[in-house]
Amino acid sequence: MENKLIDNCMKLGFGMMRLPRVEGTQDIDLEQTKRMVDAFINAGGKYFDTAYVYEGSEEATKAALCDRYPRESYYLADKLNASEFACKSEEEAKNEINISLERSGAGYFDFYLLHGLDTGNIVNFRQYGIWEYMRKLKEEGLIRHYGFSFHSTPEQLDELLTEHPDIEFVQLQINYSDWDDPFIASQRCYEVATRHGKPVIVMEPVKGGKLADPPQQVKDILLRANPDASFASWAIRFTASLPNVMMVLSGMSSMEQMEDNLSFMRQLQPLNDEEQMVLKEACKELSQLEDIPCTACHYCTPGCPMDIHIPEIFAVMNTYKMYGNLEEARNEYKWRPGGEKASACIQCGQCENACPQHLPIISLLEEVVDALE
């Protein structure tokens, strides 16, 4: 499918959600971020992705990108989130773009998205008139193209694209682990977007980092096939090989990750048939393992009244689930997550309302308490 939205651009996008942090703090490492932006642009990258709800990201984007490069030399995507955890009224929702423009200093956004559409928040976007508002923003020149990111069923995606044929692109969670997953339904959602003629931007190609450091059984499969290829390269090349994918976002957190991604995305070689079969074998192995499918997006944490660092806690729990070392997991649990322990949960449910993966977070935290506390 011909893509008319992006010209002369590497297929790798720089996701500004998981930026590097100053050691021992949650502060974004601006100097390393600047070096990463420079390396990305020097390699031919142009597409950057941030959002109103990515804490500190828009300000970091201003410092590392918008203040340092001519505006016409890159594409910048941002997002409007009408979920209850992000705003409490139509006025607040519609004012997000003004705050985002101020934080980023971008002047306008090349791509602007209704953020994280799912069954729990679609009604808000409708009641607040956000679909019509996007058209108004485009007419005013504040945005160039508009679409939405999506976390729901193929049937609901088809309904939205039928209802809003002027949408120009969609952003979907696609990776080889979720391709045939009956809940995430990456393949089916991709096929719906393609049928409607909408180019796809991929988010979570390495599933929140899980496919960059998969379980040992999967590592063994990939290493036998190609001992020189990074695990992340398998995941990102899988998505980038899909013909209707316009851009693959990678939330890079270090210069090492940036250099690895650039090494195979500067001159992308799509997966061949043999490599596709290798990933099918890897998926079969993954399907036999039970982990918490958290992608560490952190949408759940800003509104937590108890300051529970849920993704970090789930990461420790997954280490235990994958590798079975209970003593090591309990020791890691004492220091790694930060904030309050899982037992501090008051079951208010705000985290579950915010989770794009629709995880039963409350019951999962109870599982953590039973295992690690």
Side-chain angles (χ1 to χ4, degrees):
M1 181 178 297
E2 185 180 2
N3 164 35
K4 298 180 180 178
L5 303 183
I6 295 178
D7 294 320
N8 191 28
C9 182
M10 181 168 54
K11 211 171 186 178
L12 178 70
F14 191 168
M16 308 289 277
M17 183 171 73
R18 299 182 176 95
L19 293 172
R21 306 287 163 166
V22 176
E23 187 174 357
T25 77
Q26 286 301 305
D27 297 333
I28 292 174
D29 186 338
L30 282 177
E31 293 309 309
Q32 185 173 182
T33 300
K34 288 177 182 178
R35 294 194 296 273
M36 292 169 68
V37 167
D38 292 344
F40 184 70
I41 288 179
N42 289 337
K46 293 183 180 180
Y47 192 99
F48 295 83
D49 174 271
T50 185
Y52 173 80
V53 296
Y54 297 169
E55 187 173 356
S57 174
E58 291 173 327
E59 295 88 344
T61 300
K62 181 180 192 298
L65 175 68
C66 300
D67 287 350
R68 299 173 65 237
Y69 285 90
R71 183 61 187 87
E72 67 278 4
S73 66
Y74 57 86
Y75 298 103
L76 182 59
D78 210 304
K79 308 179 189 76
L80 185 160
N81 197 310
S83 301
E84 291 182 3
F85 77 92
C87 65
K88 301 303 181 184
S89 67
E90 177 180 338
E91 181 181 6
E92 286 186 11
K94 290 182 175 178
N95 193 44
E96 286 181 19
I97 188 171
N98 299 316
I99 297 173
S100 294
L101 286 169
E102 181 179 356
R103 288 173 179 171
S104 65
Y108 63 91
F109 296 122
D110 302 277
F111 296 84
Y112 200 55
L113 293 81
L114 288 75
H115 192 183
L117 293 182
D118 63 26
T119 53
N121 64 21
I122 284 177
V123 63
N124 292 1
F125 287 96
R126 286 174 174 155
Q127 289 181 350
Y128 295 165
I130 301 302
W131 301 95
E132 296 78 14
Y133 186 57
M134 299 289 268
R135 301 184 191 105
K136 179 175 177 289
L137 293 175
K138 185 173 181 178
E139 291 170 359
E140 293 175 350
L142 292 177
I143 65 176
R144 299 289 173 84
H145 306 287
Y146 63 96
F148 58 83
S149 59
F150 184 77
H151 295 278
S152 190
T153 66
E155 292 77 15
Q156 193 158 49
L157 179 60
D158 183 61
E159 176 186 330
L160 287 173
L161 292 177
T162 301
E163 185 179 345
H164 302 284
D166 54 327
I167 284 293
E168 298 172 86
F169 64 95
V170 293
Q171 187 163 303
L172 301 174
Q173 178 172 323
I174 298 177
N175 55 69
Y176 68 78
S177 176
D178 292 330
W179 187 245
D180 293 321
D181 184 276
F183 183 73
I184 303 297
S186 288
Q187 180 178 8
R188 292 175 60 208
C189 286
Y190 169 82
E191 290 171 348
V192 169
T194 301
R195 189 166 63 250
H196 280 268
K198 309 302 180 184
V200 170
I201 296 172
V202 171
M203 56 184 164
E204 303 293 356
V206 292
K207 202 172 174 64
K210 286 183 172 59
L211 301 181
D213 186 24
Q216 190 60 50
Q217 302 95 309
V218 175
K219 288 181 179 179
D220 291 342
I221 292 169
L222 301 181
L223 288 171
R224 282 197 301 270
N226 186 346
D228 297 324
S230 69
F231 304 122
S233 71
W234 283 95
I236 293 175
R237 286 179 59 225
F238 171 81
T239 59
S241 299
L242 296 169
N244 191 36
V245 165
M246 176 173 71
M247 187 62 55
V248 178
L249 300 178
S250 178
M252 295 168 276
S253 303
S254 68
M255 180 59 76
E256 290 74 21
Q257 292 175 6
M258 173 67 74
E259 290 172 345
D260 177 50
N261 285 352
L262 293 177
S263 71
F264 56 85
M265 287 298 286
R266 278 192 186 93
Q267 295 180 318
L268 172 65
Q269 295 294 322
L271 293 178
N272 58 38
D273 292 343
E274 184 178 344
E275 289 172 319
Q276 294 281 6
M277 293 304 297
V278 170
L279 287 185
K280 286 185 182 297
E281 184 182 358
C283 286
K284 184 177 179 180
E285 194 65 45
L286 281 171
S287 68
Q288 299 176 27
L289 302 171
E290 294 184 4
D291 70 338
I292 301 172
C294 170
T295 64
C297 68
H298 284 86
Y299 293 176
C300 59
T301 52
C304 177
M306 304 308 294
D307 189 33
I308 301 172
H309 296 187
I310 297 166
E312 286 75 14
I313 286 175
F314 286 170
V316 176
M317 188 64 175
N318 278 339
T319 298
Y320 168 53
K321 283 175 170 285
M322 291 294 186
Y323 305 107
N325 191 326
L326 182 58
E327 181 179 359
E328 180 179 337
R330 285 178 172 171
N331 287 334
E332 189 176 8
Y333 181 67
K334 292 177 182 178
W335 62 269
R336 179 176 172 184
E340 294 292 330
K341 295 292 187 283
S343 55
C345 176
I346 60 173
Q347 302 188 2
C348 67
Q350 77 80 31
C351 54
E352 294 189 354
N353 291 331
C355 179
Q357 308 300 323
H358 309 289
L359 299 179
I361 294 175
I362 293 171
S363 63
L364 289 170
L365 288 175
E366 292 175 342
E367 183 181 336
V368 172
V369 173
D370 291 342
L372 303 184
E373 294 188 28

